[in-house]
Amino acid sequence: MRPEGAVRVLWTRAELLALREAIEVTPNFEGRQDVRDILRTAVRAPRIGEVEFAPEIAERLGNRLVPVDLATATARAKLLRAVRGKPRRRVAVPPRRTQPALGAGAAQAAA
């Protein structure tokens, strides 16, 4: 979890519209009306910037949101990533290169 502060998410207009519709089928949770107001303001804005939520409300929305289509599922994933932080990047360890076994005759020839 992130420390106290605002959770900011950058959504496309399609994702915002899908979220606005998905909020209507999402079960009730504390702060739902605040989320509806925030999304209404974001959709009406001439330019889409980052949408800012309180951390508690953002986490409740991410846990309760019903993904009804691809845009909603993508928006939910972006929200959860913003709430929980970016996952650690896992880097594959390259395999160790082993030296071929040299026979006794090859070792003497190499020397």
Side-chain angles (χ1 to χ4, degrees), residues 2-12 15-16 19 38-39 42 48-59 61 74-86:
R2 283 194 168 171
E4 291 295 317
V7 174
R8 295 179 180 160
V9 185
L10 184 62
W11 283 313
T12 63
E15 291 167 346
L16 280 172
L19 276 173
I38 291 169
L39 292 177
I48 299 175
E50 291 181 331
V51 180
E52 190 172 307
F53 294 101
E56 303 85 27
I57 293 176
E59 189 168 4
L61 175 62
T74 305
R76 180 176 183 250
K78 286 181 181 181
L79 176 64
L80 289 175
R81 189 176 302 127
V83 169
R84 297 177 183 160
K86 293 183 180 180

Side-chain angles (χ1 to χ4, degrees), residues 35-95:
V35 171
R36 291 174 75 187
D37 294 339
I38 291 169
L39 292 177
R40 184 180 307 122
T41 304
V43 168
R44 289 181 182 173
R47 285 190 187 205
I48 299 175
E50 291 181 331
V51 180
E52 190 172 307
F53 294 101
E56 303 85 27
I57 293 176
E59 189 168 4
R60 284 188 205 124
L61 175 62
N63 292 333
R64 295 284 189 142
L65 189 65
V66 177
V68 292
D69 58 357
L70 181 62
T72 309
T74 305
R76 180 176 183 250
K78 286 181 181 181
L79 176 64
L80 289 175
R81 189 176 302 127
V83 169
R84 297 177 183 160
K86 293 183 180 180
R88 290 184 181 177
R89 184 174 176 199
R90 296 182 182 179
V91 179
V93 178

